[in-house]
């Protein structure tokens, strides 16, 4: 018997037995088979011939993606390389978007490769879902997944600072977080005469100030970087400092 055929005794009975013939062929097992099913009581045995016809069955196409949800940063492009396929020879699986947000699309320039393409904006922050389909001939399969878009803080542009020794130059700035998260402020890099202060803070917004107070020995040029941090990560902004001796 072929390997996908199994015979088990359900009830040996008393003169009448019950058995189970289990047949579970795979897609590649299409063929004509013959085998014997036998029975015995220990002294005598009997058998019957079975003719089994397994017809060829069309297999469903495959999207060729690792089953996962997507966690995307607003303002960034995210690409997922897919390998659509159809186990049946001579057929090509084509991918298409069944439903999803406007920032999602699929590109398939070659039969064996496709790219699932995301480009969310800050207006897309939140959670939604997408459904991708694959078709080959008359067969179609779909997969639905979750798409979450988060945003890092956005910092207003910083101006370069030119300041004399012994003086203090102050520059105010604002930051917004489309997620509505609470932000913290830090000096990521810069000389020790640069300090920061928070003027106003609320979930999703912050107004701060940069104070540059150089001494005599600080004459020259330097760069400083401020960082706005929240639960999802941080954003940085950099500016140049020129200190002169009047």
């Amino acid at each position: 018997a072929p390997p996908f055929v199994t015979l088990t005794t359900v009830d040996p009975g008393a003169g009448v037995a019950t058995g189970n013939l289990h047949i579970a062929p795979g897609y590649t097992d299409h063929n004509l088979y013959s085998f014997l099913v036998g029975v015995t009581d220990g002294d005598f045995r009997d058998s019957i011939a079975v003719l089994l016809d397994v017809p060829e069955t069309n297999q469903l196409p495959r999207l060729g993606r690792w089953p996962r949800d997507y966690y995307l940063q607003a303002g960034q492009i995210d690409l997922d390389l897919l390998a659509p396929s159809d186990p049946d020879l001579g057929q090509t699986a084509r991918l298409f978007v069944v439903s999803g947000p406007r920032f999602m699309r699929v590109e398939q320039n070659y039969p064996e490769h496709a790219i699932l393409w995301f480009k969310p904006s800050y207006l897309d922050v939140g959670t939604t879902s997408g459904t991708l389909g694959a078709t080959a001939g008359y067969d179609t399969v779909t997969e639905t997944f979750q798409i979450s878009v988060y945003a890092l803080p956005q910092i207003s542009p910083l101006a370069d600072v030119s300041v004399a020794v012994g003086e203090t130059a102050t520059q105010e700035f604002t930051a917004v977080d489309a997620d509505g998260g609470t932000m913290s402020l830090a000096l990521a890099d810069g000389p020790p005469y640069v300090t920061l202060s928070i003027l106003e803070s609320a979930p999703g917004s912050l107004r701060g100030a940069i104070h540059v107070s150089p001494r005599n020995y600080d004459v020259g040029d330097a760069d400083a970087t401020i960082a706005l941090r929240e639960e999802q990560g941080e954003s940085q902004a950099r500016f140049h400092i020129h200190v002169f001796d009047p």
Side-chain angles (χ1 to χ4, degrees):
F4 56 82
V5 176
T6 57
L7 177 64
T8 56
T9 300
V10 177
D11 182 3
V16 178
T18 303
N20 180 67
L21 184 63
H22 182 72
I23 303 173
Y27 283 108
T28 59
D29 292 324
H30 52 87
N31 211 331
L32 187 64
Y33 302 88
S34 64
F35 54 91
L36 296 176
V37 174
V39 61
T40 181
D41 62 359
D43 297 320
F44 302 97
R45 66 177 59 207
D46 193 13
S47 62
I48 186 174
V50 177
L51 185 64
L52 174 64
D53 184 12
V54 180
E56 185 174 0
T57 303
N58 188 47
Q59 300 185 59
L60 295 176
R62 299 166 184 170
L63 278 78
R65 64 177 291 272
W66 184 261
R68 69 182 181 99
D69 295 325
Y70 295 92
Y71 194 58
L72 312 173
Q73 180 182 334
Q76 301 293 318
I77 295 176
D78 190 276
L79 304 177
D80 192 8
L81 182 62
L82 311 179
S85 63
D86 189 311
D88 298 315
L89 298 178
Q91 296 194 48
T92 299
R94 300 294 300 180
L95 298 187
F96 61 96
V97 174
V98 178
S99 64
R102 59 177 181 80
F103 58 81
M104 180 184 86
R105 74 169 188 259
V106 65
E107 298 177 354
Q108 186 173 358
N109 297 322
Y110 301 95
E112 67 276 10
H113 296 296
I115 295 175
L116 186 57
W117 188 96
F118 301 95
K119 189 181 179 182
S121 71
Y122 286 90
L123 299 176
D124 299 313
V125 169
T127 300
T128 184
S129 64
T131 300
L132 198 63
T135 182
Y138 297 101
D139 297 314
T140 299
V141 294
T142 61
E143 288 184 13
T144 299
F145 41 84
Q146 181 174 288
I147 305 169
S148 300
V149 179
Y150 68 93
L152 294 181
Q154 293 178 280
I155 308 170
S156 60
L158 301 181
D160 293 337
V161 176
S162 182
V163 59
V165 295
E167 300 291 331
T168 297
T170 298
Q171 176 178 191
E172 292 190 10
F173 65 92
T174 58
V176 295
D177 180 26
D179 293 323
T182 300
M183 293 173 282
S184 63
L185 177 63
L187 184 66
D189 180 51
Y193 55 80
V194 176
T195 57
L196 307 174
S197 62
I198 295 176
L199 305 178
E200 290 182 81
S201 180
S205 65
L206 181 145
R207 185 168 68 92
I210 303 169
H211 312 283
V212 183
S213 305
R215 306 275 181 146
N216 291 332
Y217 47 80
D218 295 320
V219 171
D221 293 280
D223 292 299
T225 303
I226 66 169
L228 270 296
R229 295 166 180 164
E230 51 97 40
E231 184 180 0
Q232 311 292 350
E234 73 173 34
S235 295
Q236 296 186 347
R238 192 171 182 84
F239 63 97
H240 183 73
I241 304 169
H242 174 68
V243 178
F244 62 91
D245 193 355

